[in-house]
Amino acid sequence: MATDALIERILAASDGPSSSAIDALHELLDDAAIEASAMPKSVAEAARLVGLSTHTLRYYEQEGLVRPARNASGYREYSAFDLRRLVFLTRMRLSGMTMTDLKRYILLVEQGPSTIPERRRIMLDQQDRITRQIRELGLALETTEYKIRVYDGHPEG
């Protein structure tokens, strides 16, 4: 499936990750599924597609997280590979991964398969942080729901 369609499917999942959105995410993260014939996107098109500002895309480029090609006029052109990397970056940032960790991870990716054990360690550490964050958010939701129930019994607040 085209990168654009996969990204839109993921971002349209408003009620949480459905099996369809998760399947789309897995396909996006599989470099073997990248379509070579996809037309590159301008910085504005790429920003719209992945839900980031053009400023953020330029910042990610400045930090070495993504390296879009330049066309003959010098404008950035985001390939399907670049767009897929941006999806990964946005998911990791949303989950609280630091820029330092992201830069380290991308550097390791670019060094090749010999760095897989270290990349796996980074992802395991991130998984632990996300799991803890989910537990904390669950408690925050429970606290909020409790207060709503209390206020339902006392309309004056």
Side-chain angles (χ1 to χ4, degrees), residues 15-86:
D15 290 342
S18 66
S19 61
S20 173
I22 291 170
D23 289 344
L25 180 62
H26 289 177
E27 192 171 338
L28 270 174
L29 296 175
D30 180 4
D31 289 345
I34 295 176
E35 65 279 3
S37 63
M39 293 296 297
K41 305 281 184 224
S42 69
V43 68
E45 292 168 326
R48 181 198 55 76
L49 186 61
V50 298
L52 296 172
S53 69
T54 57
H55 174 77
T56 300
L57 293 188
R58 290 183 185 106
Y59 173 71
Y60 283 178
E61 181 182 358
Q62 179 184 6
E63 294 298 313
L65 297 173
V66 66
R67 292 181 176 83
R70 301 278 181 150
N71 65 18
S73 300
Y75 293 108
R76 292 169 179 84
E77 291 188 328
Y78 288 82
S79 67
F81 176 83
D82 297 322
L83 294 171
R84 289 165 183 246
R85 178 170 283 181
L86 287 170

